[in-house]
Amino acid sequence: MKNLQMKNIFFILLGAAIYSFGFVHFNIQNELGEGGFAGITLILYFLLNWDPALMNLLLNIPVFFVGWKLLGKKVLLYTIIGTVAVSVFLKIFLVYEIQIDLQNDLFLASLFAGIFVGAGLGIIFRYGGTTGGVDIIARLVQKYVGWSMGKTMFLFDATVILLSWLAFLDNRSMMYTLVAVFVGARVIDFMQEGAYSGRGALIISNSQEEIASRIAIEMDRGITILRGYGHFSKEEREVLYCVVARNEIVRLKNIINEVDPHAFVSLIEVHDVMGEGFTLDEQKMPLS
């Protein structure tokens, strides 16, 4: 457990560094807005020249006090680490800023803003942390008002972006801000779902036992047998389910075709897999 926590802390710090680098070098340098508390710090920076690193902490401290019971001890610890790390890295990158001249190509700037901010937040979320702010507020609203977290976060982000437009964004920068926010959201989803790209196979055949045996022996993959019921035939059928890596799909299809060319096979996208053969070995120990 100690090693797992240290691993989480390491990746939360890494995510905070990636997020902060993108925020400084693409959002701030190119005067692009952002949603959430980050967007508020940008408004205060461009209007009043207030330090985003300091404002990130000051905005989040009251939220920590309100939401600590809701989050739980471990998540609160990771959230504090993530929030403080973001402020520290923001300060570092603001002091030792690298000039990346993309003022004449805001489309490229918005893409990189979305990629860096999304990747950083995605890593933080994936390893159990948050950066505080809207995430905690959304959980509180869900508990006491009944709104979904997605609805609260969307309304908050939309309000902040609208205020940014009124405060410092021109129409062109406003549109590119929306591009950055959209790209960031998609990158966060990708990071949350996992970079693993495999396939899950549902197989219906009259030769299910032979197919299952060959997959187990030749591919060293586990198979689960599900109980199915044919609506048209009114017969109970066994359905085989297994997960294979992307480069094993052709091999799986060949085995099925050799045993039963008439088998019904449905392949589904698999974004993340945990368990023996993927994240654990035969002794249930984590794979290196």
Side-chain angles (χ1 to χ4, degrees):
M1 178 61 71
K2 182 178 179 181
N3 291 333
L4 180 63
Q5 290 175 347
M6 292 305 297
K7 175 184 176 182
N8 287 4
I9 292 172
F10 170 79
F11 279 103
I12 289 172
L13 295 176
L14 175 63
I18 294 172
Y19 169 87
S20 301
F21 181 89
F23 190 77
V24 170
H25 293 93
F26 300 110
N27 289 84
I28 293 180
Q29 279 192 12
N30 298 283
E31 297 187 11
L32 296 174
E34 183 57 76
F37 276 22
I40 296 176
T41 65
L42 285 175
I43 294 173
L44 296 174
Y45 175 73
F46 286 115
L47 283 184
L48 304 172
N49 200 31
W50 289 2
D51 185 357
L54 178 60
M55 294 312 303
N56 180 64
L57 278 180
L58 294 180
L59 288 172
N60 276 291
I61 287 174
V63 180
F64 291 153
F65 282 109
V66 174
W68 71 273
K69 286 187 177 180
L70 186 66
L71 292 176
K73 186 177 180 181
K74 180 182 287 187
V75 176
L76 178 63
L77 173 63
Y78 287 154
T79 298
I80 292 174
I81 292 172
T83 304
V84 172
V86 165
S87 287
V88 170
F89 282 116
L90 281 175
K91 192 64 178 178
I92 292 172
F93 291 128
L94 283 168
V95 173
Y96 301 101
E97 188 175 354
I98 303 169
Q99 290 300 320
I100 303 175
D101 186 13
L102 292 175
Q103 283 286 347
N104 296 323
D105 194 347
L106 283 184
F107 180 71
L108 193 59
S110 64
L111 287 180
F112 274 96
I115 290 170
F116 272 82
V117 169
L121 289 178
I123 292 172
I124 292 172
F125 295 158
R126 188 171 177 82
Y127 286 91
T130 73
T131 55
V134 184
D135 180 63
I136 299 176
I137 293 174
R139 296 188 191 198
L140 290 170
V141 171
Q142 183 183 46
K143 181 176 182 179
Y144 295 109
V145 181
W147 290 5
S148 68
M149 289 184 63
K151 179 180 180 180
T152 302
M153 294 176 76
F154 172 78
L155 289 175
F156 194 98
D157 287 347
T159 301
V160 171
I161 293 174
L162 178 61
L163 291 174
S164 300
W165 184 33
L166 297 174
F168 69 93
L169 292 177
D170 57 26
N171 291 338
R172 182 167 176 261
S173 296
M174 171 64 173
M175 289 186 285
Y176 282 117
T177 292
L178 295 177
V179 172
V181 171
F182 175 78
V183 172
R186 297 305 303 152
V187 174
I188 289 173
D189 288 343
F190 174 77
M191 298 297 295
Q192 287 287 83
E193 292 170 352
Y196 177 85
S197 181
R199 296 292 186 274
L202 292 167
I203 307 164
I204 301 175
S205 169
N206 292 325
S207 305
Q208 67 271 9
E209 186 60 40
E210 186 178 353
I211 292 175
S213 297
R214 288 193 59 178
I215 292 173
I217 295 171
E218 297 178 24
M219 300 185 65
D220 195 25
R221 291 297 182 197
I223 304 97
T224 298
I225 298 178
L226 308 174
R227 299 293 179 184
Y229 182 80
H231 176 265
F232 180 77
S233 65
K234 308 299 181 185
E235 296 179 357
E236 288 191 358
R237 302 290 299 273
E238 290 184 346
V239 181
L240 306 180
Y241 176 71
C242 69
V243 176
V244 298
R246 193 170 186 174
N247 60 356
E248 296 177 315
I249 296 171
V250 173
R251 191 176 175 190
L252 175 68
K253 288 181 178 180
N254 288 339
I255 289 175
I256 297 171
N257 286 330
E258 289 172 8
V259 176
D260 182 6
H262 304 290
F264 179 85
V265 182
S266 174
L267 296 175
I268 55 179
E269 195 79 28
V270 176
H271 295 287
D272 207 355
V273 183
M274 296 179 290
E276 186 176 337
F278 293 92
T279 58
L280 302 175
D281 60 19
E282 294 179 355
Q283 284 72 45
K284 309 299 182 184
M285 297 297 292
L287 292 172
S288 57

